Amino acid sequence: MMNSEEFRRSVYERAAEYKAERQRKQRTAVKYASVCVCFCVLVGIIAGRPLIRDSVNETLISGTTSPSDSTVASTVADTTSAQTTPAVTTDATGVIATTDAIIAVTTSDTAARTTAGTQATTTSQTAEEHNVYVDDSELKYAITFYGNDDEIAILSTLGSVGSRIERIAVADSDEYMSRFGLDVSMISAGYDLPDEAFFDSQYLVFIYVRGVQSNVLHDELIDIWTLTYGADDEVNLYLYKVPRGSYTTFRLDVE
Amino acid sequence: MDIGESGYRRYLDGDQSGFDDVMNAYHDNLIYFVDDLVHNLTVAEDIAADSFAELIIHPKRFKADSSLKTYLFSVARHKALDYIRAEAHHGGVGYDETLDDEADTTSLENSVIHDERSRRLHAALTQINKEYATVLYLMYFEGMDVREVAMVIKKNSRQVTNLIYRAKAALKVVLEREGLTDYDE
């Protein structure tokens, strides 16, 4: 049996030992908790990336401006007006005066946006962003492109292209025909294909739209051809030249 | 407030020597109490030391609604029961079969129990049910009331009252068998 002094020392030693053990356990618990928090944050970031990307796209859309009609940008988020059919008027040159609903209506059509995005991706291999504004009901299309020496980006995908836009292709060199599978016979003989020098400062955008053309709404539109593409349906090919290093927005009005 | 509890208050206020007073006040009684449960003096010392250490490690667990002695005995009893369960679970030597160091036990007993009559009474307690013996020990040797006994053995006052009644009846039989007739009811 221990004497009083030994017993007292034993008690203090045990207390110190238990305290140290307790602190060690607390530190371990904190360590595990930190690892768990980091893991959860990481998972959250990975899971949230598509949402963040969508959010960025929405921001890009909001920032899109049209050289000829600033109302496009200002009404991107106007979902109220999206529910109404806009009165579309054109001026002498055929430019649409009201395009509010073109963008706004289509912002809610996620499924169609996906369709459009897929089409753009498969045909525009250099595009990092590909965004198309479409109002399926009115068949108004506003598309913003950005290009520079290294990349061509189609900005601000929105909207229901549906079955109307068959395909979007972007060409940044004279190899575009083979790169994008374009058939020269599709293009009318009235247009001379650009040479390599053309692509030093510009690139071409091809948009295949099913439907009868009505108004063409961009200064940089090179030509429109009605052709047979895919099935036997009639498809209009809108061909644009777009300056490199600048944002360019153009709209289609197809009936 | 006894000397042990006042010592603990001083310890909590920063006076380290206060804890020495706590140990001086309860040391023998606590070991003797635990030894009654585990029947192994070395283990009883370990458990008593752990119980005192508990006061240092978790000072906030001691509430003012009981005396320090009651709290300390309660902690020690739980640790003793844990030990007994663990020993039984691991197939260790049962507490009834362990051998105490008789000299030490006698020495300890002498420091806790001062008269021959109490010693014979304590010997009689070893022959009755463990729980009965614990209740009676706490009441008559440690001077606890029903409420304090209830706190130590984690039962309510009514249960403790019933236990005391049955314990006394059991003890009476043993005392009569031993020829002790000069006990008080």
Side-chain angles (χ1 to χ4, degrees):
Chain A
M1 185 177 175
M2 290 182 274
N3 62 37
S4 306
E5 188 52 41
E6 288 172 334
F7 184 81
R8 191 176 293 123
R9 199 180 314 122
S10 164
V11 169
Y12 288 128
E13 282 172 1
R14 281 162 199 257
E17 200 176 299
Y18 293 153
K19 269 186 180 174
E21 178 66 21
R22 197 171 152 217
Q23 284 171 347
R24 198 159 45 241
K25 280 181 181 171
Q26 282 174 341
R27 276 197 297 271
T28 307
V30 168
K31 222 177 279 179
Y32 277 114
S34 304
V35 170
C36 287
V37 167
C38 288
F39 178 75
C40 290
V41 168
L42 196 62
V43 168
I45 289 172
I46 292 169
R49 277 181 68 191
L51 299 175
I52 294 168
R53 199 163 51 225
D54 282 353
S55 169
V56 170
N57 276 345
E58 296 297 330
T59 306
L60 286 171
I61 291 160
S62 298
T64 302
T65 57
S66 162
S68 57
D69 186 356
S70 62
T71 60
V72 174
S74 63
T75 56
V76 167
D78 185 358
T79 53
T80 305
S81 63
Q83 307 307 317
T84 60
T85 302
V88 179
T89 57
T90 56
D91 59 18
T93 61
V95 174
I96 285 182
T98 302
T99 57
D100 294 18
I102 293 173
I103 295 171
V105 167
T106 56
T107 54
S108 60
D109 194 339
T110 308
R113 178 173 59 185
T114 304
T115 305
T118 303
Q119 288 175 344
T121 301
T122 53
T123 56
S124 173
Q125 296 171 354
T126 56
E128 289 189 355
E129 296 282 344
H130 40 80
N131 303 288
V132 182
Y133 298 139
V134 176
D135 173 5
D136 222 5
S137 59
E138 294 296 321
L139 291 176
K140 304 294 187 303
Y141 301 85
I143 307 172
T144 299
F145 284 86
Y146 173 77
N148 57 30
D149 290 339
D150 299 319
E151 61 177 334
I152 297 170
I154 307 172
L155 302 177
S156 60
T157 292
L158 280 179
S160 172
V161 178
S163 59
R164 292 291 181 170
I165 288 187
E166 288 280 341
R167 186 179 187 193
I168 299 172
V170 181
D172 62 350
S173 75
D174 60 357
E175 296 172 6
Y176 68 91
M177 284 193 298
S178 58
R179 285 175 57 194
F180 299 109
L182 298 177
D183 185 345
V184 70
S185 65
M186 293 178 181
I187 303 173
S188 75
Y191 177 68
D192 293 326
L193 293 174
D195 56 20
E196 189 63 47
F198 170 86
F199 293 104
D200 288 340
S201 59
Q202 297 169 99
Y203 54 90
L204 293 176
V205 175
F206 300 82
I207 303 175
Y208 297 81
V209 182
R210 191 182 306 281
V212 179
Q213 67 188 62
S214 58
N215 297 302
V216 177
L217 306 170
H218 195 269
D219 293 337
E220 300 299 330
L221 180 76
I222 296 173
D223 210 344
I224 302 173
W225 297 283
T226 300
L227 48 84
T228 300
Y229 177 77
D232 292 332
D233 294 327
E234 196 171 67
V235 172
N236 293 312
L237 170 59
Y238 292 71
L239 178 59
Y240 295 85
K241 59 178 177 180
V242 179
R244 287 179 179 272
S246 64
Y247 291 93
T248 304
T249 299
F250 49 83
R251 287 152 288 154
L252 307 178
D253 181 16
V254 183
E255 293 177 351
Chain B
M1 188 184 295
D2 61 20
I3 189 168
E5 191 160 344
S6 65
Y8 191 53
R9 302 281 178 203
R10 281 193 287 116
Y11 169 75
L12 293 179
D13 289 338
D15 179 5
Q16 294 295 314
S17 68
F19 204 80
D20 291 346
D21 289 345
V22 176
M23 286 190 279
N24 290 336
Y26 305 131
H27 168 264
D28 288 347
N29 292 52
L30 190 63
I31 294 175
Y32 193 64
F33 170 66
V34 176
D35 185 48
D36 260 359
L37 296 171
V38 298
H39 290 264
N40 185 318
L41 194 55
T42 307
V43 172
E45 277 187 312
D46 271 348
I47 290 172
D50 276 350
S51 304
F52 281 115
E54 185 80 14
L55 292 179
I56 297 175
I57 301 164
H58 302 294
K60 290 181 180 173
R61 287 188 186 171
F62 168 59
K63 304 278 191 291
D65 56 354
S66 67
S67 71
L68 182 66
K69 184 179 182 179
T70 306
Y71 174 72
L72 194 59
F73 273 63
S74 173
V75 170
R77 180 176 178 271
H78 277 89
K79 287 183 183 295
L81 294 179
D82 285 345
Y83 167 80
I84 292 167
R85 278 192 212 102
E87 284 297 295
H89 182 71
H90 293 112
V93 179
Y95 58 83
D96 285 336
E97 297 167 325
T98 58
L99 295 175
D100 286 350
D101 183 330
E102 284 185 18
D104 282 343
T105 305
T106 305
S107 164
L108 190 62
E109 187 179 83
N110 288 336
S111 76
V112 176
I113 302 170
H114 303 289
D115 59 281
E116 182 57 27
R117 186 170 166 274
S118 297
R119 199 163 290 127
R120 290 171 70 182
L121 186 62
H122 183 261
L125 287 180
T126 61
Q127 299 177 51
I128 63 173
N129 175 293
K130 276 282 165 194
E131 199 166 32
Y132 294 169
T134 301
V135 169
L136 292 180
Y137 176 84
L138 292 173
M139 280 198 76
Y140 297 118
F141 290 89
E142 298 299 336
M144 294 183 185
D145 59 26
V146 171
R147 192 181 65 87
E148 288 174 323
V149 173
M151 291 183 89
V152 172
I153 65 172
K154 290 285 183 287
K155 289 188 185 296
N156 63 41
S157 296
R158 183 73 200 161
Q159 289 171 314
V160 170
T161 305
N162 291 338
L163 271 176
I164 290 169
Y165 175 79
R166 288 198 289 269
K168 281 180 176 175
L171 183 63
K172 185 179 176 184
V173 171
V174 173
L175 290 174
E176 285 174 351
R177 194 172 61 218
E178 299 281 324
L180 293 171
T181 53
D182 58 336
Y183 55 85
D184 299 325
E185 277 294 326

